Amino acid sequence: MSGVEFLIGAGALILGIGVGLVHFALLRAGTDAMLLESKALKAIALTVLRFGLTIGVLVGCALLGAVPLLAAALGIGIGRMLTLRRARSA
């Protein structure tokens, strides 16, 4: 693996962590909007935003190659873990 591939992979990992944090924060907000506030339109908008962001980042990383795609997917998993840890401690 060359230095450029390593930097792209590391950047994709960091991007994936950020996307994972945002993805699961929007999931919680959409769930709260639906269950606690009874605002279906807001929940649908948050879901579309959540999937659009995540799919856009993963497609962009896939266009760069396998390493960035796998690194971003790993980052999303790390973001999920961090979000769950924060929710459990609250």
Side-chain angles (χ1 to χ4, degrees):
M1 178 185 283
S2 71
V4 173
E5 289 175 337
F6 178 79
L7 289 176
I8 292 173
L13 178 67
I14 293 168
L15 178 65
I17 292 172
V19 168
L21 290 171
V22 171
H23 178 90
F24 291 102
L26 288 174
L27 175 62
R28 182 177 182 116
T31 304
D32 288 345
M34 180 63 89
L35 297 177
L36 301 177
E37 301 171 16
S38 298
K39 295 184 178 179
L41 189 60
K42 180 179 176 182
I44 292 169
L46 289 172
T47 301
V48 169
L49 176 64
R50 178 170 55 99
F51 279 121
L53 173 69
T54 304
I55 291 169
V57 167
L58 288 176
V59 167
C61 288
L63 293 173
L64 294 174
V67 172
L69 176 61
L70 291 172
L74 175 64
I76 290 172
I78 293 170
R80 176 186 177 271
M81 180 187 67
L82 293 172
T83 302
L84 287 175
R85 183 177 296 166
R86 187 181 331 148
R88 287 182 185 141
S89 67

